[in-house]
Amino acid sequence: MIPIDDSPIVRDGKSLILAMDHGLEHGPVDFEDVPEKLDPSTVFETATHDAVTAMAVQKGIAEGYYPSYEDDVNLLLKLNGTSNLWMGEPDSAVNCSVDYAAEIGADALGFTVYGGSNHEIEMVEEFRDAQEKGREYDLPMVMWSYPRGQGLKNDTKPSTISYATRLALELGADIAKVKYPGSKDAMAHAVQCAGDMNVVMSGGSKTSDYEFLSTVEAVIDAGATGLAVGRNVWQREDPTQLLDALEKVIYEEATADAALEATE
Ligand code: FBP
């Protein structure tokens, strides 16, 4: 962990990372209800909102679209990823080098580690190479810390999420992105396990405005430093309205009710 409060992906100690790597991770199915979002420019436009501290994409999207947005959006380049077509034990192919991410203009790096997978050893070794190389460029490293695999029946139970944040701290991440463990108390324990490292919640599939904002409120109350979210923002008809509300909950620590009232 290195100090990242001055990094462009952090605003007042918090982060709101807009993720759009779903075309690889889940496939076109995530765009069925919002086919216009298949054009990555539409989500880059959303990422120009002041609340968004970085947009997380894979190399191909960064190469093709980031040049038009580099003045308005901070780039978090995801270095590995797997498609939903892969049926094996959880694993993630490293498809971009740190040198190339820096050349494209990345402000931060992203890397998935599936602790508990039969491929954990290789993934952690790949993470080591990326994390150490990233230090040469002063690029913060966000770990998608997602314990899963044949030995893990429930990948969001509190003890698993606490292990996920601790694992990220000990392996040298600067931000751990973890699933919500189901309650504010469980999230608070996961944050405690991370020491001084920042912890952000992974968005998950789309829910109602109130449900999502209430969960974010609980996560911020628990001491987490924000969100890395995809579908809950760009699958909405009006992503900007939700970002206005998220800005209040994350940076002003408003309640979900107050944020909704102020932005509707
Ligand atoms: P969402 O907010 O849409 O859940 O996106 C967060 C994310 O981590 C993406 O970066 C990634 O594509 C997806 O979730 C992976 O989720 P999972 O592996 O659980 O399907």
Side-chain angles (χ1 to χ4, degrees):
M1 177 182 60
I2 52 173
I4 58 162
D5 274 357
D6 291 336
S7 145
I9 72 160
V10 177
R11 166 182 155 189
D12 301 334
K14 308 270 181 49
S15 300
L16 199 174
I17 297 162
L18 185 61
M20 217 274 269
D21 56 346
H22 303 65
L24 173 67
E25 295 284 343
H26 297 164
V29 67
D30 277 6
F31 301 88
E32 267 171 12
D33 293 339
V34 283
E36 69 282 5
K37 300 296 167 62
L38 279 165
D39 175 358
S41 302
T42 59
V43 184
F44 270 107
E45 284 298 332
T46 299
T48 61
H49 192 291
D50 274 351
V52 176
T53 56
M55 172 127 166
V57 292
Q58 292 279 343
K59 175 172 74 175
I61 304 285
E63 272 183 331
Y65 298 87
Y66 187 59
S68 306
Y69 291 92
E70 59 189 6
D71 292 337
D72 303 312
V73 176
N74 297 317
L75 177 65
L76 193 165
L77 214 145
K78 187 81 197 309
L79 300 175
N80 63 352
T82 336
S83 83
N84 231 355
L85 304 168
W86 168 252
M87 289 296 146
E89 180 74 357
D91 201 355
S92 195
V94 181
N95 56 52
C96 184
S97 68
V98 175
D99 287 330
Y100 194 56
E103 195 180 319
I104 297 176
D107 297 287
L109 306 170
F111 205 100
T112 296
V113 173
Y114 295 127
S117 158
N118 288 348
H119 299 295
E120 177 186 316
I121 304 301
E122 295 84 351
M123 294 190 87
V124 168
E125 288 170 356
E126 289 162 359
F127 177 81
R128 171 200 66 205
D129 292 346
Q131 190 262 7
E132 292 180 6
K133 191 74 190 171
R135 293 295 184 241
E136 293 175 20
Y137 291 97
D138 230 2
L139 291 173
M141 172 60 85
V142 180
M143 183 193 286
W144 275 229
S145 190
Y146 289 176
R148 58 177 66 157
Q150 62 181 12
L152 270 157
K153 297 281 176 275
N154 177 352
D155 63 3
T156 57
K157 74 176 182 193
S159 58
T160 300
I161 301 305
S162 291
Y163 209 155
T165 59
R166 188 69 190 191
L167 181 151
L169 170 70
E170 302 218 5
L171 293 178
D174 303 306
I175 299 182
K177 168 180 183 336
V178 295
K179 307 272 182 193
Y180 184 57
S183 73
K184 182 166 119 182
D185 284 353
M187 194 69 186
H189 185 252
V191 168
Q192 189 187 9
C193 288
D196 290 336
M197 186 190 57
N198 288 6
V199 176
V200 298
M201 181 186 82
S202 191
S205 54
K206 195 176 105 186
T207 55
S208 73
D209 288 4
Y210 184 74
E211 196 180 332
F212 187 59
L213 289 166
S214 300
T215 304
V216 177
E217 180 190 336
V219 160
I220 297 295
D221 273 358
T225 56
L227 271 188
V229 55
R231 291 164 291 177
N232 260 298
V233 170
W234 54 255
Q235 281 184 346
R236 281 187 153 67
E237 204 172 308
D238 187 355
T240 301
Q241 192 181 10
L242 187 75
L243 286 174
D244 290 343
L246 282 171
E247 186 164 31
K248 295 198 176 303
V249 175
I250 295 174
Y251 302 103
E252 296 168 22
E253 305 196 354
T255 62
D257 284 312
L260 273 175
E261 203 177 316
T263 55
E264 270 178 358

